[in-house]
Each structure stands twice: as structure tokens, then as C-alpha cells.
Amino acid sequence: MSRWQEVCTIDDLQPDSGICALIEGQQVALFYMPKEAAVYALNNYDPFGGANVLSRGLIGDIKGQPVVSSPLYKQHFNLETGVCLEDETVTIPAYPVRIENGSVQVRITHA
Amino acid sequence: MNIKKTLVVIGNGMVGQHFLANLVASPANEDYEIVTFCEEPRPAYDRVHLSAFFSGKTAEDLSLVEPGFFEQHGITIYMGDKAVKICRESKTVVSEKGITIRYDKLVLATGSFPFVPPVPGHDRAQCLVYRTIEDLEAMAAAAKNGKVGVVVGGGLLGLEAAKALQDLGLKTHVVEFAPRLMAVQLDEAGGAMLRRKIENLGVTVHTGKNTSLITDGDQCVNKMCFADGEELETDIVLFSAGIRPRDDIARDCALDVGPRGGIVINNQCLTSDPDIYAIGECALWNGMIYGLVAPGYAMARTVVAELAGHTASFTGADMSTKLKLMGVDVASIGDAHAKTPGALVYTYQNGDSEVYKRLVVSEDKKQLLGAVLVGEASGYGTLLQYCLNGIELPENPDALILPSRSDEPVVLGPDALPMSAQICSCFDVTKGAVCLAIEAGCTTIDALKSATKASTGCGGCSALLKSVMNSELAKQGFEVNTDICEHFSYTRQDLSNLVRVEEIKTFTGLLEKHGKGRGCEICKPAVGSILASYWNDFVLKTEHLGLQDTNDNFLANMQKDGTYSVVPRIAGGEISPDMLIALGMVGKKYNLYTKITGGQRVDLFGARVDQLPPIWKELIDAGFESGHAYGKSLRTVKSCVGSNWCRYGLDDSVGLAIELENRYKGLRSPHKIKFAVSGCTRECAEAQSKDVGIIATESGWNLYVCGNGGMKPRHGDLFATSLDKETLIKYIDRFLSFYVRTADRLQRTSVWIENMEGGLDYLKSVVIDDKLEVCEQLEQQMQLVIDTYQCEWLTTINDESKLKRFRHFINSDQPDDQVVFVEERGQIRPADENEQKHFKIMEVA
């Protein structure tokens, strides 16, 4: 059974941008939207570009869905579900994430 | 029974035949027995296209007479027999062969003969004229043993004759007495353009030349001597120096003729004898001989109408002409020389495509009086309509000769591309495929991308794809949405104005005031760029960082494996050995793949994100600064070595390149900007393929703008010439600021100017003439960017808080284990998928 893991502090997050954390051998991209007080966690691997780069993508929203766009070829991934907007057959892992007393916590679910 | 009267027509040339053809179709045909004399051995043929005889047409092909025409209509034709005498008292015509015909009505259509200037030697062997098929046969015979041919006369017919000589395989010259070709129809600039085009076709043109003697040649049969002392050896001399009316037969019977020839006629084409008409080139109407076929035809129709009992009159003819001379379109309409008092002139000249257009309009700009078109005459029909029918001109008459940017771009706009044109080279998507997808309902870029895969590879075609889509949608009646994205109902230019006028300093500020949602990867970098252009804040400031696109985000260029390349500035491509060594040391220490760029600098590949700060620390310590290769900003100012070293250099191109690069470095713009400076017109720096290109000349710097290499190459437009450095820099300041203000997102200057209403002329009027009265602002805008320049890497490595991001994991110092290199040609490269698997297995083992 997975558990919440402390990853970093909220100050380590990059407002309106992303960072990457290593959690149980997994690369997890963490995105922070301070205005909405929202944090999102997706796997850092871009399945289209084949590289660990999603934490370095631009974030925003498309038709109300919060998204990150890949820095390589600009595909969008839903920050909550990991579903690719351009190709719904492609989904990347999305992780539960929360902020507790200023610390960022992620729960890794192993397949 | 009705006894028919006799009508005699002297001459079966083009006009004589036109008269007969019209007469037999009119009621007057019933009243007359028709007799015609034809001096030549064959009936009427097309003299206008006589040169076609040498490109394969036969005399039969050129014939204007349907087989059986004379028999069918009961016309008696005396072929190869010349009418030599008219006896007005007895109303008879006598022919050379002795035939006498009594006439009731007589029509003179004797035409003209070529004028041969009375130069000594004009009657030598192989001095010919160009009028009849027999003349052509003489030319062909003479050309068999000849190499050189000269046409005397650079008018319409002379140029036709030149084509004939060329078709015969002769080295061809045109000698014209007037200072330009087609002096009657064209103005000076039009004549000059025509000359260039014709010379490009291999014909040598001599203007302002007065032939004084023709004598024995040394290498050729003849030698022409000119009044200015020059000489020209030639085998054939072909006189085409104008025409003279054939009026002998009229003089002999005392009909009125003009002082310089021509049978005088009135508006009914009647001569001084009420039973004798004259039509065509032999007739003098209102003191004028018409050397064109159309007025002759109009006269013929007038006489037919008169004979049929209608009232008709010839009241002059429009001399407008359009023809293809040696493959060059030339047209002249109405008052081409602007002789009408108060006439205004508009001129369009495109030296590149060799098009010249001139419009002459009335003082009140309402009527078209005349026009000249050289090189491109598709507008002739429309212009002639305006001129002949007095149609009121549009508000800006020059629009009639300016290339239309919206409907039929001169440059290859989306509409000019054929359906087979490849839009996306990654997935081989043609314009046809894109259009089909649009017809099938794809009305957004995203839908098009999904349907066709276009622009889903390297993305380099996205702008082109968008312009094809917009153009197709517009054609299908869709309203084209120019909003930058779903977050702002504005174009980039609108946003640029909002930021500047309302002095908005952050994306959040703009979004709250004018947008909705949270933004996206379209609007964020666009606004980030606009903010940087106007206020030039550090792009990695917390409030701007989230706006930066992939490369700006880490001030380096992300490669396919997520590593970065590093490009320090090497202004003008000038680098000392010590600096080169320092650069090499850094490359070696961090084991970077090293390659020379097209912009004359060095690119260091394979740097992990955590390596970027130490690499830059070392580069900065060695004296380098950021090269902004990651930004939509000024990249490089390429240069040739210039006058310091080059034997041909006219000015210090390297010095200017360095100065310009240092002036504009760091300027954020709608897209990347490239410059080049060449020290002479040999153009080793390839400046004409750059957004801003500068070429040294004897008299100063020539400035070219809006060139591009890359996906859709475009030659830069010559913007201003012979500039001193101060003026040059002033123009570039204004040009760049105006581009920054008004261009679309990711629109290079080449596409920007192509989409600009008014194009280059408009741009000049803004930048040079300050038509919009914004130049002071534009210069201030640039000065602010120059004054606030910073090396973004220096700022970054000096700010501990900024460095925190430059590591792969926030919570670990491990690097990304997926970044794996293999060696090739002695340097690293990213491992491919198979190599990576192999590597991992080895690592586990």
C-alpha cells in the first residue's frame, strides 16, 4: 500500500511552472498554480518525445482543463488525469498530491 | 432588274481584306460588283505576327483569307497585279498588267511601305526591310551565310524584326535613333525596363545612335558607321524605322495628300473625290497616319456602313496596344506620356521581377488618361476599360498597378502555391491534403493537425499551415478568427498595443484586465516576449518565468533528449585564439558535442540542466556572454572579413557587424532576427537572405530588409541606399521597433512584410518618411532596450535563488538516468532507443 511522501516544501515549487522530484525511483513533475492554490503531479516522462522533460513544460488551461504542454513537441496533458488532449489513447501517470503544513506530499501508486 | 454598281478595292492587305469581309456581310453587298487588286502573289496575311514565319508558321498559317472566300462571294481578285493609275474623269482603274476596270466607288487600301533612311549605302546587298513574306524570304536567304544582324529602329515592328533575326540564329542588335526603345509608346523608365529584358534575351540594344554610312565590312558583309564614330559589323541590316503611306496613285490623280504624305480623308473616310475612299495606313485623318491595324479596321467598317446607307464616322482611334515582344509583355494605353495638362503620374517599378507600370490620371484623380505596362500586362484589359469608358477611378488609383497583397500576392502566398506543394515535410502533407481536410470540416489548427498530421513533427510549417488554413477558410466564407488563443480575444498586435499604451508589466496584469482563464503555451510566451520587448525585465524573474517557452525557460536550447546546447555570443563572428581556446576548454571539460553554427559561432551540445550554471560561470569568467540563441530575439550579425583584409572590401563589415550585434543583442521580438553585413556586393555574408542585411558600396551602406533563408527563402528588399552609419542605425532602430510592435506571433519579417498592406512602400513611408509620426517613439523604444541590456546568464549565476531550478530533481542530486550518450566521429551524441536498452542492460548486469 502506498503512502503520502514528503517531497519538498512549498517554497521549492516554482509558481506557475514546474519542477521535478525523484520519488521511489520515479520522476515526478510537480506543477504549482499559486492563484488557485493548486499543485499537480504527473510522471515526468514525455511519451511522444521519449525524454524526461514534462516538468519543464508551460502550464495553463485549455477549455477549462488544467494542462501542461510538452516542451518538446507541445502535446497537452491534463494535469489532473494525465490524459493527452491530442491523443486520448495516451495517458501518463498522474499522482495524488497535497500540501500539508507547507510541505508537498505525493502518493506514488505502483502499477 | 437591279443593275449592280462596281466597287473597286485597291490593295488586299489586312485592312483591305477586313473591308471585304465586312462588306460581304452587309446589305451593301447586294448593290455592288466587287473587284480587288492585290499586288502581292498571295491574298491578305497577318503582318502583325510576321515573325512567326521564322518560328515555324507558313504563309498559309498567316493567311487571313478563308479558302474559297473570293469565289464564294463573287469577288474578282487580280492577284499579283498592281493598280497603277486612276482616271477620275472616266472613273477607271488601270493595272500594271493592263487591265482597266470602271468603278462607281473606289476604295484605296494601298497601305504603307517601310521607311528606309537615305543613309549612303542603304541599298547595299543584304540591306533589307521587313514588311512582306517576300522580305522574310530574302532575310532567310541572307541569314544562311551570316552571323550578325542589325535592326535599324527600336519601335514595335523593329523589335518584332529583332525576334525574327534571333530566330534565324543571328547575333542580333537593335539600333535606335531615339534615346529609348518604343519611344512612341513608352516613357523613359518603361523603355529602360524593356531594354533590360530584351538584353537579357541576348539582343544588344544601342540607343541614341544615328547611322551615317553603310559600307564594306571586314568580318561581315556590311559595316554600319554611326555619327558618334562607333562602328558595327553586320551581315544583315534590316530597316524598320517607321512607315510611309503609299499615296503615289492618289497623287498622280490629284487627290489631296498631306504635306508629309497620306491621302487626306474626312470622318467618312472620303478623299477629296466623293467616290473615292481611303482606309488604313495610306490614309491621313486629321493630320494623322495610324500605323496600327485596329484604326485601319475601324476605317474599313466606317466605309462599309457608309456604303450600306448608314451614317457612320471615323473620329480617331485609340492607339492603345498590348503585345508580346520577344516574350515580353508590353502595353501602352492612351496618354502614356502624360502630356495632358495637370496629369498625375503613378509609377510602380519592380527591379527584381522586371516589371514596370505607369499610370497617368487626370488632375482630379477621377479619370485614367493613360498607362504603360512592361513585363506584366495582365491589368491591360481593366485599365483600358477605365480609360476608354471614362469609368471613375477608385480612391487610390495606384492600387490598379500595385501588386495586390490580398488576392494575388506577387510573392508566394498560400494562394499562389499549387495543390501539390508540400506544406509539411515531416509527414509529406500537401496543400491539397490540407484543403481536403478543411473541406471535410477541419476549421482549427488543432483539427487540421489531427486530421493530416501536418505540423506535428518539427512544427516548422505551423505558420504556413495557418496561412493556408486562413486563406482557405476565408475563401469558403468562414470568418477567420485572429484571436491569439482562447484566453485573449486579441491579436498579438492588439496585445502589444495594450501592453505599451496601458503600461502593463506582467502577464497576470494583462490576463486580469483583458483575458480569461489561466493562459497557455500560445499566449504566455507571446506576452512574455511583448513584456520583454517593451520593459526588458529579466525573463527569469518569478512573475515572468512561467511565461517562458522551452528554451527561454532555462536560457539554453533544449535538444531531443532533454539536454541543452549552449551558444555564447561571438559578435560578428570575430573571435581571438585565446577566446577560442577558452571555449574549447569548456567543451572538453564538460564533454560537449561541438559544432560551428550557420551564424558564425560555436554551439556546445549535451549539457545537462545542472551543468548549465557551471558551464556559464566558466564562459563568463573567460569573457563570454549569453548569445540569446534560446530567445526569439536577435541571434547573430554575420559578416564577411571586410575591408581590413579583403582585396575587394569597400568598408569594415566586421566592425559594423560587431557594433550592430552589440546594439541589438537581447532584443526580444515576435520571432528570431538575423542580420548580416557584407563588405561589398560579392555578398559573402549572404546579407540579402537576412531579416536585416547591409552591403557596403562605394557611396555608403545599402540596407536590405525582410529577407529569409530557411523554410521559405525570400530575397531581402532593398530598403535604402548609400546610407551613412548614423542614418543606417536610425532606420534599423525604427524598423525593428515597428516589427516588434506590429508583427504576429512567431512571424518572421519576411512573412510580416508580405502580409503588410502596402508592403515595402508602406514600410518605407513609416520608417523613412515617418508617415505615422511614430519614429521618435520607435527610437525611444529601442533605446530603452539598449540601455537596459543585461547578460541573462550573468544575472542568473549571480542570483543564488535562481540557481535552485537548475538541477534535474528538487530533492536529489542524481542526474536524469535516461540521458545516455554514445560516441560518433570522436564526439558524443544521444543514444537512440536501441542503444539505450542495451546500455541499461549492461548497467544492470
Side-chain angles (χ1 to χ4, degrees):
Chain A
M1 185 60 203
S2 61
R3 56 181 182 86
W4 290 102
Q5 301 207 37
E6 284 196 12
V7 180
C8 58
T9 70
I10 193 159
D11 294 334
D12 292 326
L13 294 175
Q14 204 63 54
D16 293 309
S17 184
I19 57 164
C20 182
L22 186 63
I23 311 171
E24 294 180 19
Q26 303 246 12
Q27 294 200 17
V28 178
L30 296 165
F31 302 98
Y32 180 38
M33 295 185 183
K35 205 172 143 220
E36 291 82 4
V39 185
Y40 302 96
L42 290 181
N43 195 289
N44 194 37
Y45 185 74
D46 171 359
F48 295 97
N52 291 307
V53 293
L54 287 184
S55 66
R56 293 176 248 163
L58 265 164
I59 59 172
D61 63 346
I62 298 289
K63 299 196 178 81
Q65 305 180 53
V67 293
V68 59
S69 104
S70 162
L72 287 171
Y73 301 114
K74 313 288 174 188
Q75 291 89 354
H76 297 93
F77 299 93
N78 185 308
L79 289 174
E80 287 164 338
T81 64
V83 174
C84 173
L85 271 61
E86 282 76 20
D87 183 350
E88 291 186 0
T89 64
V90 176
T91 302
I92 59 172
Y95 309 101
V97 57
R98 67 182 185 189
I99 297 171
E100 289 279 314
N101 301 322
S103 98
V104 180
Q105 301 180 349
V106 177
R107 202 166 64 185
I108 296 291
T109 43
H110 288 280
Chain B
M1 198 185 141
N2 195 5
I3 297 177
K4 284 193 176 183
K5 292 176 277 184
T6 302
L7 175 81
V8 176
V9 183
I10 300 179
N12 188 237
M14 295 179 79
V15 171
Q17 179 61 28
H18 191 79
F19 171 79
L20 293 178
N22 276 273
L23 182 64
V24 298
S26 94
N29 190 36
E30 303 299 315
D31 302 334
Y32 291 97
E33 194 68 50
I34 304 166
V35 179
T36 185
F37 288 92
C38 177
E39 176 188 4
E40 290 187 50
R42 57 181 68 78
Y45 52 89
D46 185 355
R47 280 191 230 277
V48 176
H49 298 102
L50 210 50
S51 66
F53 187 70
F54 291 121
S55 33
K57 291 264 171 102
T58 62
E60 287 72 43
D61 293 333
L62 291 172
S63 176
L64 294 173
V65 182
E66 293 290 321
F69 171 84
F70 299 108
E71 297 82 352
Q72 198 185 325
H73 297 288
I75 298 172
T76 308
I77 178 159
Y78 294 98
M79 193 81 77
D81 196 2
K82 178 182 173 187
V84 289
K85 190 173 174 230
I86 299 165
C87 179
R88 289 165 58 191
E89 288 72 36
S90 62
K91 293 183 99 171
T92 53
V93 177
V94 181
S95 82
E96 207 166 37
K97 290 181 179 168
I99 291 163
T100 303
I101 306 283
R102 203 197 153 272
Y103 67 82
D104 294 293
K105 295 283 178 191
L106 179 62
V107 176
L108 304 177
T110 48
S112 62
F113 62 90
F115 169 65
V116 176
V119 180
H122 68 83
D123 48 359
R124 288 172 51 86
Q126 303 194 9
C127 290
L128 308 168
V129 295
Y130 183 81
R131 173 82 183 170
T132 65
I133 287 182
E134 281 65 37
D135 294 335
L136 300 192
E137 286 166 352
M139 276 170 69
K144 273 191 186 139
N145 301 313
K147 292 188 185 65
V148 185
V150 173
V151 175
V152 178
L156 278 180
L157 208 61
L159 294 174
E160 270 282 310
K163 174 170 180 352
L165 287 179
Q166 227 190 7
D167 286 344
L168 285 168
L170 299 174
K171 169 79 193 99
T172 304
H173 299 259
V174 172
V175 171
E176 167 62 48
F177 177 71
R180 62 175 179 275
L181 294 176
M182 286 184 69
V184 177
Q185 291 88 356
L186 299 183
D187 64 328
E188 197 179 323
M193 183 68 83
L194 179 63
R195 176 184 183 142
R196 260 177 66 189
K197 292 188 82 97
I198 283 177
E199 290 194 321
N200 284 343
L201 296 168
V203 175
T204 311
V205 177
H206 313 259
T207 51
K209 280 266 188 273
N210 189 4
T211 312
S212 53
L213 174 70
I214 303 172
T215 179
D216 283 336
D218 298 322
Q219 291 93 41
C220 299
V221 174
N222 291 304
K223 180 167 77 181
M224 299 176 70
C225 304
F226 301 111
D228 60 6
E230 284 187 34
E231 296 175 350
L232 184 58
E233 293 251 342
T234 179
D235 294 301
I236 298 179
V237 179
L238 199 56
F239 291 102
S240 185
I243 53 158
R244 294 292 181 269
R246 294 183 70 184
D247 54 10
D248 296 359
I249 199 169
R251 283 175 194 273
D252 291 346
C253 65
L255 287 175
D256 287 354
V257 292
R260 282 173 300 168
I263 307 161
V264 175
I265 59 168
N266 65 12
N267 288 2
Q268 279 67 50
C269 301
L270 269 180
T271 65
S272 51
D273 182 320
D275 290 320
I276 304 178
Y277 297 90
I279 56 178
E281 291 175 344
C282 64
L284 182 73
W285 177 86
N286 202 20
M288 179 132 179
I289 300 278
Y290 287 95
L292 293 173
V293 75
Y297 284 179
M299 292 176 192
R301 290 191 298 270
T302 303
V303 176
V304 169
E306 280 286 309
L307 293 174
H310 305 299
T311 40
S313 52
F314 175 82
T315 51
D318 175 56
M319 292 293 277
S320 303
T321 40
K322 177 192 173 204
L323 68 168
K324 234 182 178 52
L325 287 170
M326 309 185 74
V328 180
D329 281 312
V330 179
S332 168
I333 293 174
D335 179 16
H337 295 285
K339 285 181 179 151
T340 311
L344 298 169
V345 172
Y346 297 84
T347 308
Y348 168 79
Q349 191 160 2
N350 185 331
D352 186 36
S353 51
E354 300 188 326
V355 169
Y356 172 82
K357 298 181 180 183
R358 168 183 162 106
L359 219 52
V360 180
V361 308
S362 61
E363 198 169 5
D364 61 2
K365 293 199 271 188
K366 293 217 160 76
Q367 304 292 320
L368 181 65
L369 302 174
V372 174
L373 309 170
V374 178
E376 204 280 316
S378 62
Y380 176 77
T382 308
L383 293 177
L384 191 61
Q385 290 307 309
Y386 273 108
C387 187
L388 294 183
N389 300 321
I391 300 169
E392 191 168 320
L393 286 166
E395 197 177 346
N396 299 307
D398 52 353
L400 292 171
I401 49 168
L402 290 173
S404 160
R405 303 282 167 184
S406 50
D407 296 324
E408 35 170 32
V410 264
V411 283
L412 276 180
D415 290 346
L417 295 171
M419 282 299 173
S420 57
Q422 189 183 55
I423 304 293
C424 169
S425 53
C426 296
F427 291 98
D428 187 23
V429 183
T430 61
K431 179 182 167 186
V434 172
C435 292
L436 276 180
I438 294 168
E439 275 170 33
C442 298
T443 55
T444 64
I445 285 291
D446 283 345
L448 264 186
K449 280 180 169 177
S450 308
T452 65
K453 288 198 139 189
S455 199
T456 58
C458 74
C461 63
S462 62
L464 185 58
L465 182 69
K466 193 173 178 201
S467 78
V468 169
M469 181 186 83
N470 285 348
S471 149
E472 289 302 310
L473 287 178
K475 268 190 238 164
Q476 292 177 21
F478 284 92
E479 197 177 322
V480 178
N481 186 350
T482 55
D483 295 354
I484 190 164
C485 69
E486 65 178 72
H487 303 102
F488 292 97
S489 305
Y490 296 99
T491 62
R492 183 201 174 270
Q493 187 177 350
D494 296 334
L495 292 178
S496 163
N497 289 335
L498 290 172
V499 165
R500 181 170 51 84
V501 174
E502 299 180 11
E503 298 193 16
I504 293 169
K505 301 288 170 67
T506 64
F507 177 79
T508 316
L510 185 68
L511 189 69
E512 279 170 1
K513 220 167 159 188
H514 299 288
K516 55 178 183 282
R518 291 184 267 202
C520 65
E521 84 287 354
I522 305 288
C523 59
K524 280 182 168 180
V527 173
S529 164
I530 293 169
L531 293 170
S533 293
Y534 288 124
W535 320 124
N536 213 17
D537 264 353
F538 180 46
V539 293
L540 296 189
K541 255 187 165 176
T542 309
E543 61 266 40
H544 303 315
L545 189 139
L547 309 178
Q548 307 308 325
D549 214 339
T550 310
N551 295 342
D552 274 317
N553 201 6
F554 284 89
L555 306 176
N557 294 45
M558 186 186 279
Q559 304 300 324
K560 62 194 280 190
D561 62 347
T563 65
Y564 290 89
S565 81
V566 171
V567 188
R569 184 166 305 287
I570 301 176
E574 184 184 82
I575 186 165
S576 69
D578 280 341
M579 294 290 271
L580 205 50
I581 289 166
L583 201 54
M585 298 287 279
V586 171
K588 193 166 180 174
K589 177 170 175 186
Y590 292 90
N591 191 25
L592 303 172
Y593 170 75
T594 308
K595 192 176 186 306
I596 307 295
T597 71
Q600 300 184 333
R601 41 193 194 178
V602 181
D603 208 339
L604 307 166
F605 290 81
R608 298 189 314 265
V609 66
D610 57 287
Q611 292 177 314
L612 291 173
I615 287 173
W616 270 107
K617 173 95 178 50
E618 292 190 31
L619 288 173
I620 286 169
D621 286 346
F624 285 103
E625 62 179 348
S626 168
H628 288 94
Y630 45 81
K632 302 299 180 213
S633 55
L634 176 81
R635 294 290 172 82
T636 61
V637 183
K638 190 176 172 180
S639 68
C640 68
V641 74
S643 57
N644 283 358
W645 289 92
C646 180
R647 285 182 289 138
Y648 305 108
L650 294 173
D651 212 328
D652 179 15
S653 49
V654 180
L656 181 66
I658 294 171
E659 183 173 344
L660 292 175
E661 186 158 340
N662 284 326
R663 182 175 181 84
Y664 301 114
K665 65 188 177 189
L667 169 69
R668 287 296 200 291
S669 48
H671 210 311
K672 60 187 172 187
I673 303 172
K674 297 180 179 180
F675 279 37
V677 184
S678 279
C680 77
T681 54
R682 285 173 184 74
E683 246 285 64
C684 297
E686 295 161 338
Q688 290 166 95
S689 66
K690 300 289 187 272
D691 298 278
V692 174
I694 297 137
I695 301 176
T697 71
E698 300 271 5
S699 54
W701 301 104
N702 281 2
L703 172 62
Y704 291 80
V705 297
C706 303
N708 195 8
M711 187 163 59
K712 225 177 108 192
R714 182 182 195 276
H715 227 259
D717 292 314
L718 181 59
F719 189 77
T721 57
S722 307
L723 302 173
D724 57 44
K725 197 172 80 182
E726 193 188 339
T727 312
L728 173 76
I729 289 176
K730 190 168 73 182
Y731 286 172
I732 301 174
D733 278 2
R734 294 171 179 181
F735 168 78
L736 291 176
S737 293
F738 191 56
Y739 168 60
V740 162
R741 273 194 186 189
T742 60
D744 217 341
R745 166 185 166 267
L746 300 184
Q747 189 176 44
R748 289 292 292 268
T749 58
S750 56
V751 180
W752 174 63
I753 195 168
E754 281 171 21
N755 290 337
M756 186 183 293
E757 222 165 289
L760 181 66
D761 288 339
Y762 175 73
L763 187 61
K764 282 184 187 171
S765 74
V766 172
V767 170
I768 299 175
D769 309 329
D770 199 8
K771 181 180 161 178
L772 302 180
E773 296 178 2
V774 289
C775 284
E776 201 184 328
Q777 276 184 36
L778 295 176
E779 287 172 31
Q780 285 168 355
Q781 183 185 323
M782 185 59 67
Q783 197 55 50
L784 183 133
V785 172
I786 294 163
D787 292 344
T788 53
Y789 169 78
Q790 57 186 310
C791 168
E792 287 159 347
W793 268 110
L794 182 64
T795 309
T796 304
I797 60 174
N798 284 338
D799 184 343
E800 209 45 54
S801 69
K802 291 293 164 209
L803 291 174
K804 209 167 76 175
R805 297 170 62 235
F806 286 88
R807 53 196 292 202
H808 194 78
F809 298 114
I810 194 74
N811 58 349
S812 162
D813 287 333
Q814 276 190 44
D816 178 3
D817 62 2
Q818 185 128 25
V819 172
V820 180
F821 299 116
V822 294
E823 211 179 276
E824 189 170 310
R825 292 188 295 274
Q827 294 204 72
I828 60 158
R829 69 160 169 81
D832 65 29
E833 219 175 312
N834 281 332
E835 290 162 341
Q836 280 207 6
K837 277 183 203 151
H838 184 62
F839 185 88
K840 276 186 180 159
I841 291 162
M842 288 202 327
E843 204 179 38
V844 172

